[in-house]
Amino acid sequence: MYLKKNPKTLLVIALVWPEPASTAAGVRMMQLLDVFKKQGYSITVGSAASKSDFSADMEALGYQTADIKMNDSSFDVFVTDLNPDVVLFDRFLTEEQFGWRVAENCPDALRILDTEDLHSLRHVREQCFKKDIPFTTDAWLADDKTKREIASIYRCDLSLIISSYELELLTDVLNIDKSLLLLLPFMVNEITSETTWKTFDERSDFVFIGGGKHAPNIDAVKCLKSTVWPLIHKQLPEAKLHIYGAYLPQQILEMNNPVGGFLVHGRAADANEVMQSAKVCLAPLRFGAGIKGKLLSAIVNSTPSVTTTIGAEGMHGILDWNGYIENDHTAFVKAAVRLYTTQHTWKNAQDQGKILINTLYAKSSLENMLIAQVEQLQKNIATHRKQNFTGALLQHQTMTATKFMSKWIEEKNRG
């Protein structure tokens, strides 16, 4: 008689409770959870954040949940009792808060960081944009947030990198060993011959989708309102531009102008349906990082797009874009009008989206790659950590300022 082996356990420490209907980060987290769920893992999701009305119902999806506290030793008891095989940190901020506690209480657990995108890259680009100065890797390297994020990457056994550009930045500029990194973009179902898409004639209007808590989205909407859309509307007076996004601020909601064809709707009830109904997606992004959820949604829903170099960065490799990449406003408008009015150009762009999905984002192959990497690391974790001397150095007590700050805060709270 054989005793049934207990399933492996995954602990996810979430920065916020996932909102897949609101943010690309929420979609990403649900995809990762699904990969481990398919492998039979018992999964617990913990967060120090409060749930919102739009947070996913984790219990209904079969996941355990836990409300955890920052700067509190109750987490030590919690994680010791759970004794997870794998801990997944949702962005480097959670690793800073809880990574040292996981390392001390569950030293054998595999520690994985999901960067979502390089937050330091997004931050520095925004600062450069506001100052009207060019972004440089030197500026990125000089920023304190970069040092914090890179330290988290080194302290973990594996970091999931969503963009090919960001992987190159880490390996070519910082020379981080590739064994610590895994390029893992969003994972979506492959397009097959049975997949049906709405045709050119079945679609109408332009669309932009982006959450209001993300600064690049707010800037893009302002750019559309003030510069891009008036030029397009002048050439295509019957067309409309639909703006969707969760948590849009009042200044964006007040831009609604039905007479000018600029319609601000707020949260989309079904983002896929909205994207599938549009003829062209517009995304004049001027700063940011990672893979842009709105542009991947456009590809998945067979909607050609016009974006910028920043928008398409790290998303298409050496393959053609499913539309146009233009940084100049005049060229951007010209491309948008061409896509909207020229059926064969639009259809070619739509077909290119299929190639992008099946080549770079195919769910089955990416899932297999992730699990294979996790299993390989679990078999050789001691050797892997021995080779990561920088990570061991950053775990040393003389370098763990966050640990002692947390302990100080905990004592202060008790007082």
Side-chain angles (χ1 to χ4, degrees):
M1 179 178 179
Y2 294 94
L3 294 175
K4 183 179 179 182
K5 185 180 178 181
N6 292 327
K8 289 186 176 181
T9 302
L10 167 69
L11 169 63
V12 176
I13 304 179
L15 183 64
V16 296
W17 293 100
E19 292 187 27
S22 304
T23 66
V27 172
R28 165 72 161 187
M29 179 51 68
M30 301 309 292
Q31 289 179 353
L32 292 175
L33 290 173
D34 187 56
V35 175
F36 284 94
K37 185 178 182 180
K38 288 178 181 176
Q39 295 299 312
Y41 276 75
S42 172
I43 299 173
T44 298
V45 182
S47 180
S50 300
K51 293 185 175 72
S52 78
D53 293 339
F54 300 100
S55 299
D57 188 342
M58 308 306 286
E59 290 89 353
L61 294 170
Y63 306 123
Q64 304 293 320
T65 61
D67 293 316
I68 57 179
K69 295 181 179 180
M70 293 189 293
N71 308 310
D72 195 298
S73 57
S74 61
F75 179 84
D76 301 339
V77 177
F78 161 73
V79 78
T80 300
D81 289 344
L82 186 64
N83 192 26
D85 297 279
V86 181
V87 177
L88 176 65
F89 299 103
D90 172 24
R91 288 163 272 198
F92 83 94
L93 295 169
T94 62
E95 191 282 331
E96 278 189 336
Q97 286 287 343
F98 297 100
W100 65 270
R101 293 185 184 274
V102 171
E104 286 191 358
N105 294 286
C106 302
D108 296 330
L110 185 69
R111 300 188 296 273
I112 301 176
L113 171 63
D114 181 37
T115 58
E116 292 285 356
D117 57 38
L118 289 180
H119 282 46
S120 56
L121 177 62
R122 185 207 304 172
H123 167 74
V124 174
R125 277 186 169 157
E126 182 177 353
Q127 297 306 306
C128 289
F129 178 79
K130 288 180 177 178
K131 296 174 183 176
D132 196 24
I133 59 175
F135 166 80
T136 63
T137 53
D138 285 344
W140 174 63
L141 292 171
D143 194 85
D144 287 346
K145 187 168 287 189
T146 303
K147 298 176 180 66
R148 291 168 56 195
E149 190 163 29
I150 300 307
S152 285
I153 288 174
Y154 271 115
R155 286 193 295 263
C156 289
D157 301 307
L158 181 68
S159 290
L160 308 180
I161 311 301
I162 206 166
S163 155
S164 60
Y165 172 82
E166 294 179 2
L167 181 68
E168 292 169 5
L169 201 61
L170 296 172
T171 56
D172 296 349
V173 177
L174 288 172
N175 297 314
I176 295 178
D177 195 288
K178 292 182 179 180
S179 67
L180 297 174
L181 309 170
L182 178 65
L183 177 61
L184 192 79
F186 283 87
M187 299 170 279
V188 299
N189 293 323
E190 293 183 56
I191 306 298
T192 68
S193 57
E194 285 74 38
T195 304
T196 57
W197 289 346
K198 285 189 176 181
T199 66
F200 181 84
D201 292 330
E202 291 173 331
R203 295 167 178 252
S204 63
D205 298 338
F206 296 85
V207 68
F208 173 89
I209 299 181
K213 293 182 178 180
H214 195 47
N217 290 334
I218 299 304
D219 176 72
V221 175
K222 291 180 178 179
C223 178
L224 286 167
K225 176 67 173 179
S226 64
T227 306
V228 172
W229 181 246
L231 296 174
I232 294 176
H233 190 58
K234 186 176 181 179
Q235 297 183 57
L236 303 171
E238 300 302 317
K240 298 178 178 62
L241 171 57
H242 300 271
I243 307 294
Y244 288 91
Y247 306 111
L248 293 180
Q250 188 63 30
Q251 62 171 319
I252 299 299
L253 296 175
E254 291 176 356
M255 291 180 182
N256 184 56
N257 179 15
V259 175
F262 194 91
L263 305 177
V264 182
H265 301 277
R267 182 184 293 271
D270 186 335
N272 287 322
E273 176 57 33
V274 165
M275 191 64 78
Q276 287 170 17
S277 299
K279 189 170 285 187
V280 177
C281 172
L282 302 178
L285 298 164
R286 297 192 284 187
F287 57 94
I291 284 181
K292 317 309 181 295
K294 64 184 68 58
L295 290 169
L296 184 61
S297 175
I299 298 172
V300 169
N301 288 291
S302 68
T303 306
S305 64
V306 186
T307 189
T308 59
T309 301
I310 288 289
E313 179 185 86
M315 289 192 64
H316 63 106
I318 60 173
L319 300 174
D320 291 336
W321 188 245
N322 70 319
Y324 291 96
I325 300 171
E326 301 288 357
N327 297 315
D328 175 76
H329 287 157
T330 302
F332 191 99
V333 169
K334 184 178 180 180
V337 173
R338 184 185 302 122
L339 269 179
Y340 196 85
T341 58
T342 311
Q343 184 167 354
H344 73 271
T345 301
W346 184 90
K347 182 62 168 63
N348 288 340
Q350 189 185 59
D351 291 340
Q352 183 59 28
K354 174 181 178 180
I355 297 173
L356 288 170
I357 290 295
N358 291 350
T359 305
L360 302 177
Y361 301 95
K363 184 177 182 180
S364 57
S365 60
L366 291 172
E367 286 181 339
N368 291 337
M369 183 174 64
L370 172 59
I371 291 303
Q373 185 78 351
V374 168
E375 292 179 348
Q376 178 66 22
L377 286 173
Q378 287 175 325
K379 291 177 183 177
N380 302 284
I381 192 62
T383 301
H384 178 73
R385 287 177 177 170
K386 190 179 298 183
Q387 293 170 344
N388 180 19
F389 180 77
T390 301
L393 176 67
L394 291 169
Q395 291 283 9
H396 191 267
Q397 61 179 356
T398 59
M399 301 293 287
T400 51
T402 53
K403 169 182 175 179
F404 293 106
M405 176 59 77
S406 178
K407 285 181 171 292
W408 179 83
I409 292 173
E410 184 176 359
E411 290 300 320
K412 184 172 180 291
N413 288 341
R414 285 176 180 168

